[in-house]
Amino acid sequence: MPRAAFWIFMAVVILCFVGPFLLPFSAGQMDLLDTYAPPSLASGHLLGTDALGRDVLARVLEAGRVSLAVGFAATLASSLIGVFYGAVAGYRGGTTDQLMMRFVDVVYALPFMFFVIVLMVIVGRQVWLIFVAIAAVEWLTMARIVRGQTASLRQMDFIKAAHAMGLRDGVIIRRHIVPNLATPVVIFATLSVPQAVMIESFLSFLGLGVQEPLSSWGSMIQQGVADMEFAPWLLIAPAAAMVVTLVCLTVLGDAARDRLDKRAT
Amino acid sequence: MTLAVDSLRIAYAGSAVVDGVSFSLPPSKCLGVVGESGSGKSQMGLALMGLLPATAETDGTVHIHGEALPDVARRDQLAMVFQDPQSAFCPHMRIADQVFEAMGGRDATAAAAFLKQAGLSNPEQVLAAYPHALSGGMRQRAMLAMALARTPSVIVADEPTTALDAEVQLALLKEFAAVKASGVSLILISHDMGVIAGLADDILVMQNGRAVEQGAAEAILRQPQHPYTRDLIAAATLKQAVPAQTQAGPVLIEGRGLTKRFPMPKAHPFARTHVKQALVDAAIEVRAGETLAIVGESGSGKSTLASLMLGLAPPSEGEVLWKGQHFTALPPQHQRRLRRHVQPVFQDPFASFDPQRTLGRSIQDMIDLHGTNHSVEALLASVNLSPDIAERYPHQASGGQNQRAALARALAADPEVLVCDEALSALDKTTQAQILALLQRIKEERGLAMLFISHDLDVVAAIADRIAVLKDGHMVETGPVQQIMQSPQSPYTQRLLAAQTVPDAAVMRAKITAS
Amino acid sequence: MIGVLASRLLWAIPTMLAIITLAFFMMRIAPGGPFDGERAMTAEVKANLERAYKLDKPVYVQYGHYLAGVVQGDFGPSFQYRDQSVSGLIRQGLGPSLLVGGLAVSLAFVMGMALGITAATHQGGVVDRLTMALASLGLALPSFVIAPLLALAFGVGLRLFPVAGWGTAAHLALPVFALSIPYAASIARLTRGGILATTSAPFVRTARAKNVSPARILWRHILPQAIMPVVSYLGPSAAGVLTGSVVIETIFQIPGIGRYFVQGALNRDFTLVMGVVIVYAAMIIVFNLLVDLVLQRLDPRTRSTA
């Protein structure tokens, strides 16, 4: 199953980035004579058209670019923050560690999304704010995982041996701790991408995400909900695209965890 | 005949882990099954209990009281005592509930009786407790009681004393002897001939799934026929101490008035802070060319002492001196440069190396760091390892190979002192003997000083020039090895020596009765 | 036990303080005062209004007032609904939100555990793979995606449940179900993983050696251990359900505080928005406290010293 998931995901990515060039219609092309057309092979609109006569398939693919790009970029950012924070806390130990992780605990307990939403309402819809929003929520769990792994690595004999050898702390972290962190970090990062995509979609759904002319799956779903009673394909198309992508990513993340964990033990 | 096993074979995917083992066990008799890891002895025990995984292919017959052993679920006449009582008990159920499960009823008086039979003098308290609240010895007795509660004809005990301290081990063997006398047959599985010697009427020696020798215990112990049996007996025998040949040189590292305290983590900020006193006012000296052994049981503080002497942790009080200099008072760069002179070999061979680096790379790291001009191949050769081990990752080599590689890494720095912290404890007895011989050779060749830490007096006697005994963080006694082994002054040392197991039936029986 | 409770409560206080402070200052920096979008009014009326809302006093005085008010449950007047107080609005909406949220978390727990136990007890078989595939699907279905789909399928298509509104039990069905799905999926995975991991533990082997029935082994030996990561996850689940309820209440037009939050955000009624946020935060903190207590009780090492 993971292999199937991998190929499906690859197909999605390729379609999103290359597909629009191959389709007869572009995402922005409006056809006011053919609005709300249901999906049909004959008309060439495989997934129908929307309120402005734009081809839904083309729009879904283009929205996919935005959703995926934001998802991966935000995960990368949050992972870097989380890894750095967690490694420092785990390696230092003692009071530093306790304070740092207490902070994580407190923030974890907050309804962070709400503050983010309010912030976005106040400051306005900026793309960088979306990154900040997602990263701000995601880094916590990565920090926890990395801190746990670092703390347990620190107790291991080979780290003691490295100390006894005479290596300096910086070298030990770089050479021995970080490579041994790779496995859990990669696994969690893979599982974080779906989270990031979902948060972006959530924000877009609330009208706080990417602005026109950009659209993401979340904003398309929001528009789809409004018209769902008489034009259900407007909702189903982006929803299906998002669900398929997220399921594939989750399966891949699980498979990565199963494989890498066995080797590490 | 209580139990009769004929040509038992257990295989997984076609390859046998137990191949053609047969024995018979009368009532009130004990069969000692001896072998090292991979011998199949545990698998056999599990097979009798019906605890093998579904993928196991079994063959052969087992008869109990003359009848064929019923299928898995109804083997009421057999009970098992496992190795590690801490993990073998359900952590969130009281002992009483777990004993009731074995009994099939909720009769508290009967449960208390079983606990008494297993040697627990305060059964009601133990019944009400959770497993983690009991000491190791009490837990194992509770496990024995739980086995007895099934009123079995046969009890299978798989390494029941391995996780226990020497004296507690002896006391538990006494309980087993009492159980045997009450009519129950015993199958005692162990890697240690000494443990078996006091209880077994018959011995079965297993190697790689096969029975290489079996028969009456006394006969086998006095005149073992098979070379493997001889190896096992030799491994369990207290080595004769070799008198120190060279005059010990100047003091290389010493500890004065060493005290180490650990604050225990608090459940919440308002709880009282408990402080664990790991070491109290300990003093040791390691001289050039000499091996000082630190002996103590679990919790005695010996690993803490090793950490302090290696400079891995600062003492709460006292000083650690390397060639006269206060180690912890030195600036970090200076400390790092000095470290090459004192190198460790740790207990867990697989945890001693970074799992992401090959063994050769780890050794090369040491060479590069201290600029010594060794080659990895030469170092590996000096510890009897072939050069291709350098390409392997730690998990691809055996425990013995990893430990040799750890020694090679330590030697790569040209140290003056080697600190072996339970370096042999995680190895098979036969591997232990090999590594011990290697250590002795290296020590003599290079004139190394050694700080050898162990709970195992057998091992220590063979390699040490002087011994220091630790108990609960205190140095109880120090002296030359012969003096300590033959005429110990402190009562604790005396008891420790008395509790050592030997592969001699009569001696062990006497020790067990006396405990 | 008491000590842990006390220390957690003690941590809750600065946390709430931080949230209230953050809320206050966010309201203040929001561009466009509470009267944006209103008709222009005479300077006198404006001055009166400002005094009524204490906007003419220095910042720290306003903060003090706000803090004192919050502690007593008064979040100030709503800027949008001019004659209502925020606490009044919250009191109205709290019921439905708690009902939907509480039911959603409970449903997630029950459904997730049932699926997880089923999968674990049929490990490797069709049931296991199917259940876990369902769980993977559920993870990818955030509330705001599934809610409209469910509404479409069951409400519009099959006409089984009402699509919007409030009042009968039937109105609860779709929103609660939609909210619970992603968390049920996670809990199913955690349960299955926990059970499988615990099954290979030594004490389970001991129980089998004692001929304990498989059912008892599962319920009495395995589950109390395996359930711990699930209980830990209930905290984040509750937080997620609260976040998701904002959207669900909007979609299904449920008169809960989530809907007030959304409307308040859109209408720049900041006292309302911040009031809701503070209430949500308090709810999450209380819930996490309860979860902590349950965990303490489950862990045998801390339970016996209670």
Side-chain angles (χ1 to χ4, degrees):
Chain A
M1 215 194 9
R3 206 163 292 167
F6 179 70
W7 290 116
I8 295 177
F9 177 66
M10 283 286 109
V12 169
V13 171
I14 293 174
L15 277 175
C16 285
F17 284 90
V18 175
F21 297 112
L22 304 175
L23 290 177
F25 306 99
S26 87
Q29 190 182 337
M30 294 191 257
D31 183 359
L32 293 169
L33 298 173
D34 198 13
T35 62
Y36 289 118
S40 89
L41 279 170
S43 68
H45 291 292
L46 293 172
L47 291 179
T49 66
D50 70 354
L52 295 176
R54 294 177 289 193
D55 181 38
V56 171
L57 177 58
R59 290 204 71 216
V60 165
L61 293 182
E62 215 182 59
R65 282 190 210 171
V66 176
S67 292
L68 286 173
V70 170
F72 275 98
T75 301
L76 189 64
S78 74
S79 297
L80 285 174
I81 300 173
V83 167
F84 180 71
Y85 193 90
V88 169
Y91 193 75
R92 290 296 203 77
T95 336
T96 321
D97 176 25
Q98 287 204 21
L99 281 177
M100 287 177 86
M101 294 324 285
R102 251 292 154 212
F103 178 70
V104 168
D105 286 341
V106 167
V107 176
Y108 207 73
L110 293 181
F112 213 74
M113 281 302 295
F114 295 107
F115 282 108
V116 165
I117 293 171
V118 177
L119 195 63
M120 296 185 84
V121 170
I122 292 174
V123 177
R125 297 159 68 174
Q126 319 259 4
V127 183
W128 60 266
L129 204 53
I130 303 178
F131 279 108
V132 168
I134 299 175
V137 173
E138 294 275 279
W139 75 273
L140 293 171
T141 327
M142 181 65 88
R144 272 217 181 126
I145 291 180
V146 169
R147 182 250 168 208
Q149 189 78 354
T150 311
S152 70
L153 278 176
R154 207 163 62 98
Q155 306 294 344
M156 302 215 80
D157 282 347
F158 71 90
I159 300 285
K160 282 200 241 172
H163 271 300
M165 223 193 261
L167 290 172
R168 349 160 72 99
D169 275 356
V171 177
I172 295 182
I173 295 181
R174 227 186 341 108
R175 194 188 280 181
H176 293 292
I177 302 234
V178 170
N180 281 295
L181 286 176
T183 309
V185 167
V186 164
I187 291 169
F188 187 69
T190 314
L191 289 170
S192 286
V193 174
Q195 291 292 102
V197 172
M198 275 200 272
I199 296 177
E200 184 278 324
S201 304
F202 180 74
L203 289 173
S204 296
F205 184 83
L206 287 176
L208 296 172
V210 292
Q211 275 173 313
E212 292 282 327
L214 281 177
S215 65
S216 74
W217 284 331
S219 59
M220 287 188 71
I221 292 176
Q222 181 209 31
Q223 290 160 19
V225 169
D227 299 329
M228 76 178 178
E229 296 204 20
F230 56 89
W233 60 91
L234 291 180
L235 169 64
I236 296 177
M242 194 171 92
V243 168
V244 165
T245 312
L246 293 184
V247 170
C248 289
L249 282 172
T250 312
V251 170
L252 283 176
D254 279 347
R257 175 174 50 205
D258 288 342
R259 261 199 64 204
L260 292 175
D261 253 349
K262 275 197 198 96
R263 234 190 329 131
T265 20
Chain B
M1 195 58 60
T2 309
L3 189 66
V5 172
D6 192 17
S7 307
L8 183 64
R9 183 173 190 278
I10 304 171
Y12 293 94
S15 82
V17 293
V18 172
D19 201 358
V21 171
S22 310
F23 62 84
S24 51
L25 191 60
S28 256
K29 293 285 179 212
C30 172
L31 172 72
V33 181
V34 195
E36 299 185 300
S37 48
S39 56
K41 57 192 199 299
S42 290
Q43 288 284 305
M44 193 180 69
L46 291 175
L48 291 174
M49 293 297 302
L51 290 174
L52 289 177
T55 50
E57 305 142 12
T58 53
D59 209 5
T61 61
V62 179
H63 286 85
I64 188 152
H65 294 304
E67 292 176 5
L69 204 57
D71 253 348
V72 179
R74 299 257 49 87
R75 300 185 184 197
D76 288 336
Q77 293 126 328
L78 291 132
M80 192 148 182
V81 174
F82 293 96
Q83 171 173 345
D84 181 9
Q86 168 80 317
S87 54
F89 270 114
C90 181
H92 55 265
M93 283 170 68
R94 293 180 200 271
I95 301 285
D97 291 321
Q98 304 195 46
V99 174
F100 290 153
E101 274 181 339
M103 281 165 53
R106 298 190 69 87
D107 184 350
T109 331
F114 286 123
L115 265 80
K116 270 226 177 71
Q117 191 186 353
L120 285 164
S121 52
N122 52 346
E124 290 78 23
Q125 266 180 307
V126 173
L127 282 174
Y130 285 95
H132 66 269
L134 302 175
S135 74
M138 288 170 76
R139 263 198 296 267
Q140 199 61 311
R141 286 194 176 84
M143 171 124 326
L144 179 58
M146 211 162 65
L148 289 169
R150 287 164 53 89
T151 55
S153 316
V154 179
I155 289 185
V156 180
D158 191 355
E159 304 271 16
T161 59
T162 308
L164 303 172
D165 284 337
E167 283 185 283
V168 182
Q169 173 172 267
L170 214 56
L172 198 73
L173 288 175
K174 188 173 183 183
E175 310 302 344
F176 274 108
V179 165
K180 189 176 89 156
S182 74
V184 179
S185 305
L186 273 184
I187 297 182
L188 185 54
I189 302 173
S190 178
H191 65 279
D192 188 349
M193 273 291 192
V195 166
I196 304 251
L199 279 177
D201 300 291
D202 290 323
I203 290 182
L204 169 66
V205 179
M206 288 181 72
Q207 188 184 28
N208 294 327
R210 292 218 167 77
V212 296
E213 188 166 353
Q214 67 188 105
E218 299 239 13
I220 291 191
L221 287 170
R222 287 227 189 98
Q223 288 179 317
Q225 303 292 311
H226 196 276
Y228 184 63
T229 317
R230 285 195 216 120
D231 282 342
L232 285 175
I233 293 180
T237 312
L238 204 62
K239 320 282 181 302
Q240 284 310 315
V242 175
Q245 272 142 351
T246 46
Q247 193 70 330
V251 173
L252 292 175
I253 58 175
E254 70 179 288
R256 287 187 203 156
L258 291 176
T259 303
K260 184 71 179 167
R261 284 181 286 267
F262 292 106
M264 302 303 299
K266 295 199 280 200
H268 57 85
F270 305 111
R272 269 172 300 136
T273 313
H274 288 283
V275 171
K276 184 171 154 194
Q277 289 268 45
L279 264 187
V280 179
D281 203 24
I284 61 168
E285 291 179 345
V286 181
R287 293 173 178 272
E290 182 185 70
T291 301
L292 173 66
I294 310 279
V295 172
E297 304 190 297
S298 48
S300 58
K302 48 192 200 303
S303 278
T304 311
L305 186 55
S307 274
L308 292 182
M309 297 311 290
L310 278 166
L312 292 178
S316 307
E317 279 171 50
E319 299 100 37
V320 173
L321 301 163
W322 285 18
K323 289 210 179 137
Q325 291 176 293
H326 285 232
F327 187 75
T328 35
L330 296 171
Q333 303 101 294
H334 201 174
Q335 279 184 7
R336 283 198 295 271
R337 252 178 314 172
L338 285 182
R339 281 189 183 282
R340 58 180 291 193
H341 298 296
V342 181
Q343 282 296 313
V345 179
F346 291 110
Q347 173 172 359
D348 183 353
F350 295 100
S352 298
F353 286 100
D354 186 336
Q356 305 284 342
R357 291 170 99 79
T358 59
L359 294 173
R361 194 77 194 81
S362 293
I363 299 177
Q364 187 68 40
D365 284 342
M366 181 73 91
I367 297 174
D368 291 339
L369 182 64
H370 292 294
T372 57
N373 49 3
H374 292 295
S375 75
V376 172
E377 289 78 32
L379 283 166
L380 288 176
S382 69
V383 294
N384 295 349
L385 283 176
S386 66
D388 58 271
I389 297 277
E391 301 305 307
R392 296 208 203 160
Y393 286 92
H395 67 271
Q396 293 171 321
S398 73
Q401 288 168 329
N402 271 302
Q403 208 64 318
R404 289 173 197 265
L407 187 55
R409 176 177 59 184
L411 294 175
D414 288 330
E416 294 176 39
V417 182
L418 208 59
V419 177
C420 297
D421 187 357
E422 299 271 19
L424 304 180
S425 309
L427 304 169
D428 272 344
K429 281 272 183 194
T430 41
T431 318
Q432 279 185 15
Q434 293 165 3
I435 307 277
L436 200 57
L438 179 64
L439 280 171
Q440 272 170 303
R441 180 171 62 84
I442 300 260
K443 170 184 130 169
E444 273 156 43
E445 274 174 15
R446 296 165 185 244
L448 279 179
M450 252 206 277
L451 184 60
F452 196 91
I453 291 147
S454 179
H455 66 280
D456 193 346
L457 276 171
D458 282 348
V459 164
V460 158
I463 198 171
D465 297 309
R466 304 181 77 242
I467 298 184
V469 180
L470 268 183
K471 175 173 166 37
D472 292 332
H474 296 264
M475 287 233 129
V476 160
E477 190 169 352
T478 316
V481 61
Q482 270 148 318
Q483 182 199 304
I484 300 276
M485 301 300 280
Q486 268 135 42
S487 44
Q489 302 296 306
S490 135
Y492 174 68
T493 319
Q494 291 164 356
R495 288 201 328 259
L496 203 57
L497 278 169
Q500 295 298 306
T501 59
V502 259
D504 180 318
V507 171
M508 281 308 296
R509 269 197 288 264
K511 286 200 191 204
I512 289 175
T513 328
S515 75
Chain C
M1 188 80 123
I2 309 288
V4 178
L5 190 59
S7 82
R8 295 275 190 276
L9 277 175
L10 225 54
W11 268 110
I13 294 177
T15 311
M16 284 306 301
L17 209 60
I19 293 175
I20 297 171
T21 313
L22 195 61
F24 176 77
F25 282 103
M26 280 183 100
M27 283 195 294
R28 286 225 76 231
I29 68 172
F35 310 110
D36 244 25
E38 301 284 350
R39 292 191 310 267
M41 50 189 73
T42 64
E44 189 187 314
V45 176
K46 196 164 185 183
N48 281 336
L49 277 167
E50 285 189 344
R51 225 175 302 123
Y53 288 118
K54 298 190 175 40
L55 297 174
D56 54 333
K57 295 268 176 51
V59 185
Y60 55 88
V61 176
Q62 291 188 41
Y63 177 63
H65 271 292
Y66 188 66
L67 189 59
V70 168
V71 167
Q72 296 170 44
D74 173 20
F75 298 97
S78 160
F79 286 133
Q80 179 191 338
Y81 304 98
R82 208 60 65 78
D83 50 347
Q84 300 210 42
S85 73
V86 169
S87 39
L89 289 169
I90 289 182
R91 224 171 293 142
Q92 280 175 22
L94 200 57
S97 288
L98 277 179
L99 189 59
V100 172
L103 283 176
V105 174
S106 310
L107 183 63
F109 184 69
V110 169
M111 239 183 5
M113 290 228 29
L115 281 176
I117 293 176
T118 314
T121 48
H122 294 92
Q123 193 203 351
V126 176
V127 174
D128 182 16
R129 278 184 300 199
L130 202 64
T131 325
M132 283 302 111
L134 265 178
S136 295
L137 186 65
L139 277 182
L141 290 173
S143 324
F144 65 92
V145 170
I146 189 121
L149 289 175
L150 281 179
L152 198 62
F154 290 98
V156 177
L158 298 175
R159 299 212 164 270
L160 278 175
F161 293 107
V163 180
W166 187 250
T168 68
H171 283 113
L172 283 172
L174 290 181
V176 166
F177 190 64
L179 266 178
S180 69
I181 286 190
Y183 306 101
S186 280
I187 289 178
R189 281 154 58 103
L190 279 175
T191 308
R192 174 187 182 274
I195 293 179
L196 289 180
T198 315
T199 306
S200 52
F203 67 86
V204 173
R205 193 175 56 171
T206 312
R208 285 170 57 211
K210 287 191 293 186
N211 273 341
V212 179
S213 74
R216 190 181 156 91
I217 291 184
L218 177 67
W219 289 96
R220 197 73 181 76
H221 288 255
I222 294 183
L223 273 181
Q225 288 290 114
I227 213 180
M228 287 206 269
V230 174
V231 172
S232 297
Y233 185 67
L234 283 181
S237 292
V241 163
L242 278 184
T243 314
S245 71
V246 164
V247 161
I248 294 296
E249 287 179 14
T250 308
I251 294 179
F252 289 104
Q253 289 176 40
I254 296 174
I257 55 182
R259 210 170 53 147
Y260 285 135
F261 176 79
V262 173
Q263 289 178 359
L266 293 175
N267 294 316
R268 310 201 96 115
D269 184 354
F270 290 111
T271 40
L272 179 59
V273 166
M274 284 310 158
V276 171
V277 171
I278 291 172
V279 167
Y280 272 156
M283 278 164 50
I284 292 178
I285 288 177
V286 167
F287 192 77
N288 276 316
L289 199 88
L290 290 173
V291 165
D292 264 344
L293 288 178
V294 171
L295 274 178
Q296 287 274 312
R297 189 112 203 340
L298 278 179
D299 184 348
R301 271 157 288 215
T302 43
R303 175 210 264 181
S304 59
T305 55

